[in-house]
Amino acid sequence: MKTDNLLYQNSRFEVRGKDGDGLYLHEYRPHYVTVLAISDGNLVVVRQFRAPVEGDTFELPGGRTEGDETLEEAARRELREETGLIAGVLHPMGAVDSHACMLNRQVHFYFTDEILSSEAQDLDDDEDIDVLFVPLADAFEHIRRNEWKDTELLSALLLAKLHGHL
């Protein structure tokens, strides 16, 4: 049996290591949400700098749950905070285990094409997010050219297609 060692711990997660298997992250709040939003026929995408890849990424709005909010409440909050968009109906599309080889995060996906209104972004202090409205055909071209590589964005587009939203 391999030894499981606690290497680091804070209020959000633990970093553990197993002999021969490398490191893994155990989050105390492992449920995240991602929203695939269509506004006026365009895909809503957020661009932000990510230190691990040393550059900008193109992602869908989303983040982790807070307090005792439901997954849908978290999805609405993240969409509003990151983009300023207020959604009507959100359609759940399922969940994926995000990088199960190294963390216990589960990402829950929602779709909306019902944007009721917009307001100013309400970003966290460590966030610097640009909101882009991209024609869907252009989004798929960015993916085909390997310019957009975010796994949640790709997973959400596949799920939206499989659920008949696209």
Side-chain angles (χ1 to χ4, degrees), residues 58-59 96 98-99 107 109 148-157:
F58 297 86
E59 307 171 20
V96 299
S98 178
H99 303 72
V107 181
F109 295 94
W148 291 5
K149 303 174 186 180
D150 183 68
T151 57
E152 290 176 21
L153 186 149
L154 277 63
S155 295
L157 284 168

Side-chain angles (χ1 to χ4, degrees), residues 13-139:
F13 59 84
E14 298 173 350
V15 177
R16 293 188 166 270
K18 286 191 176 184
D19 296 339
D21 283 340
L23 302 175
Y24 70 93
L25 184 73
H26 177 82
E27 294 187 73
Y28 300 129
R29 299 188 63 79
H31 295 283
Y32 282 65
V33 294
T34 295
V35 181
L36 192 160
I38 303 292
S39 178
D40 293 326
N42 294 304
L43 179 65
V44 179
V45 177
V46 295
R47 178 178 56 208
Q48 58 188 319
F49 179 81
R50 295 290 193 187
V53 297
E54 299 176 341
D56 286 345
T57 61
F58 297 86
E59 307 171 20
L60 298 178
R64 68 184 176 104
T65 60
E66 294 180 357
D68 61 353
E69 69 186 351
T70 66
L71 294 169
E72 183 175 326
E73 289 168 341
R76 288 181 184 285
R77 177 184 50 74
E78 287 290 344
L79 180 65
R80 180 185 48 76
E81 288 177 357
E82 293 187 1
T83 69
L85 299 175
I86 310 300
V89 176
L90 287 177
H91 302 278
M93 298 190 297
V96 299
D97 292 325
S98 178
H99 303 72
C101 64
M102 58 191 294
L103 70 137
N104 66 324
R105 181 178 298 170
Q106 191 170 69
V107 181
H108 303 264
F109 295 94
Y110 288 86
F111 172 85
T112 188
D113 59 1
E114 189 176 310
I115 302 301
L116 303 177
S117 63
S118 65
E119 56 188 43
Q121 289 173 298
D122 184 18
L123 300 174
D124 294 335
D125 291 339
D126 64 343
E127 291 179 314
D128 183 14
I129 294 174
D130 295 320
V131 181
L132 308 173
F133 296 87
V134 180
L136 206 49
D138 292 354

